[in-house]
Amino acid sequence: MTVHNLYIFDRNGSCLHYSEWNRKKQAGISKEEEFKLMYGMLFSIRSFISKMSPLDMKDGFLAFQTSRYKLHYYETPTGIKLVMNTDLGVPNCRDTLQQIYSTLYVEYIVKNPLCVLGESLQSDLFHSKLDSFIRALPFFSVRAA
Amino acid sequence: MAIFSVYVVNKAGGLIYQYDNYVPRAEVEKTFSFPLDLVLKIYDEKLVVSFGQRDGIRVGHAVLSINGVDVNGKYTAEGKEILEYLKDPANYPVSIRFGRPRLTSNEKLMLASMFHSLFAIGSQLSPEVGSSGIEMLETDVFKLHCFQTLTGLFFPLILFDQNLKSALEIAEKAGAFGPGS
């Protein structure tokens, strides 16, 4: 059970933060293109399900899974999108993403007068806190290479 | 546990079969007097509520019928524009039915191809080697399961509540009896 990587996007689609722990395969395109592709995919999934959905939705898109990984999604009302790829054994971790937002993003970025919102997150404190938070998660275990 | 709809998409991304097993959609009919306190706008050839959510009528609901007569997109059954009709106080009180808009067959074709691309991107962005495309997509209201055959056909199914992997296998076997695509 492991976490592969984590992306944070803002409401305009720019990637604020990306970190990886256990990624086995790169996408074969540059990082910038990968962020744009990921954001575009999420945007399309959201519009797809709002059309397809038989009933009115409250939270919207939660997660998807393939044969090898699971992508968890959480969006705040301000448009900040948190995306986490994990392996298949991980159950719903929407509340984990919500915790990352409230205890890490809000605390170390929003409340930081030196961090300009909308630009890529430069705060080292945020990086290190996020890293230790992810490593402390019960479903994170570093697999032997 | 209910299957809401089945789509069959071919290798090129085109929809080749679609079946809807409708669950009755929430619809609300109310009588209004002038002036109308909902803000309506035209979206995708339909008249949709954009502001003024109340009493079960939510943002995104479309106008389905006026005074009991089903509307035709943004025109009434007689061919008048609904927005013009609703601006005239002489037409009130008027009874309007709102609900989630039904998908037209053109929209279904577009959505099936959109899903085909999303399936492929899901496989490309994988952090793990050898991933398939999206097999299950979960929202708070429905789950979408998708099964891809060796020949490249795929079967996205939209379900409520529970997991239904066995239904996918049955659908795939049923597909094997038809003429090859």
Side-chain angles (χ1 to χ4, degrees):
Chain A
M1 298 242 286
T2 178
V3 176
H4 295 300
N5 50 13
L6 175 76
Y7 301 76
I8 303 183
F9 293 100
D10 75 352
R11 62 192 307 165
N12 300 319
S14 38
C15 183
L16 299 176
H17 179 81
Y18 168 73
S19 41
E20 62 184 40
W21 289 273
N22 246 336
R23 184 173 190 168
K24 306 268 173 35
K25 168 186 160 291
Q26 298 298 325
I29 49 181
S30 77
K31 273 284 173 265
E32 272 177 30
E33 284 180 18
E34 186 188 318
F35 298 151
K36 285 192 224 165
L37 190 59
M38 173 65 83
Y39 185 81
M41 179 178 77
L42 294 171
F43 191 85
S44 307
I45 289 181
R46 277 176 41 230
S47 112
F48 174 79
I49 61 177
S50 72
K51 287 223 147 124
M52 280 288 211
S53 170
L55 301 174
D56 294 314
M57 295 190 308
K58 203 162 63 75
D59 290 324
F61 172 47
L62 298 174
F64 76 68
Q65 73 182 52
T66 75
S67 59
R68 293 290 155 117
Y69 75 100
K70 190 164 174 177
L71 181 144
H72 305 262
Y73 176 78
Y74 174 65
E75 183 180 356
T76 71
T78 52
I80 306 289
K81 301 167 179 54
L82 288 100
V83 181
M84 180 150 76
N85 291 334
T86 68
D87 77 347
L88 293 175
V90 176
N92 191 348
C93 62
R94 191 179 165 78
D95 19 341
T96 312
L97 289 172
Q98 196 160 17
Q99 250 187 306
I100 293 180
Y101 177 72
S102 58
T103 58
L104 296 174
Y105 182 81
V106 169
E107 288 300 319
Y108 296 111
I109 303 290
V110 177
K111 292 186 181 173
N112 184 341
L114 295 174
C115 280
V116 180
L117 296 180
E119 281 178 8
S120 177
L121 306 177
Q122 308 286 356
S123 163
D124 286 333
L125 184 59
F126 176 74
H127 287 307
S128 55
K129 288 280 180 188
L130 178 63
D131 196 57
S132 42
F133 180 86
I134 296 284
R135 286 179 196 278
L137 286 173
F139 45 79
F140 183 88
S141 65
V142 182
R143 280 207 233 119
Chain B
M1 168 197 80
I3 298 186
F4 177 65
S5 52
V6 180
Y7 293 72
V8 181
V9 180
N10 70 11
K11 207 158 42 168
L15 182 67
I16 52 182
Y17 179 75
Q18 197 271 326
Y19 176 73
D20 280 319
N21 183 28
Y22 272 119
V23 170
R25 300 182 140 192
E27 286 170 359
V28 177
E29 179 139 28
K30 267 183 63 93
T31 314
F32 296 94
S33 54
F34 190 79
L36 194 63
D37 50 2
L38 300 161
V39 177
L40 300 172
K41 70 169 187 199
I42 297 188
Y43 179 76
D44 260 358
E45 293 305 310
K46 287 189 275 267
L47 207 57
V48 162
V49 175
S50 93
F51 186 77
Q53 185 164 301
R54 55 175 276 201
D55 291 342
I57 302 173
R58 305 191 47 187
V59 171
H61 278 197
V63 173
L64 298 175
S65 75
I66 292 196
N67 290 331
V69 178
D70 280 341
V71 305
N72 182 10
K74 55 185 191 207
Y75 300 101
T76 65
E78 288 108 45
K80 284 197 295 242
E81 271 218 37
I82 305 178
L83 280 177
E84 293 305 314
Y85 183 81
L86 291 175
K87 283 202 181 100
D88 185 0
N91 293 321
Y92 287 79
V94 67
S95 160
I96 312 182
R97 187 150 52 102
F98 291 93
R100 273 194 76 81
R102 297 247 157 101
L103 290 174
T104 64
S105 35
N106 201 35
E107 285 177 342
K108 286 177 190 166
L109 287 167
M110 291 195 296
L111 289 173
S113 335
M114 197 194 284
F115 182 72
H116 177 92
S117 324
L118 294 172
F119 184 90
I121 297 177
S123 148
Q124 190 188 5
L125 285 176
S126 162
E128 284 254 30
V129 180
S131 168
S132 77
I134 299 177
E135 285 188 351
M136 198 271 285
L137 191 145
E138 194 175 336
T139 71
D140 53 347
V141 168
F142 69 91
K143 275 202 181 126
L144 185 147
H145 287 260
C146 181
F147 175 67
Q148 185 173 32
T149 67
L150 292 167
T151 53
L153 276 183
F154 44 128
F155 293 81
L157 259 88
I158 301 192
L159 318 169
F160 290 126
D161 300 325
Q162 293 162 19
N163 200 337
L164 203 50
K165 270 224 122 31
S166 50
L168 285 164
E169 278 141 35
I170 296 173
E172 199 253 341
K173 286 202 194 87
F177 285 113
S181 69

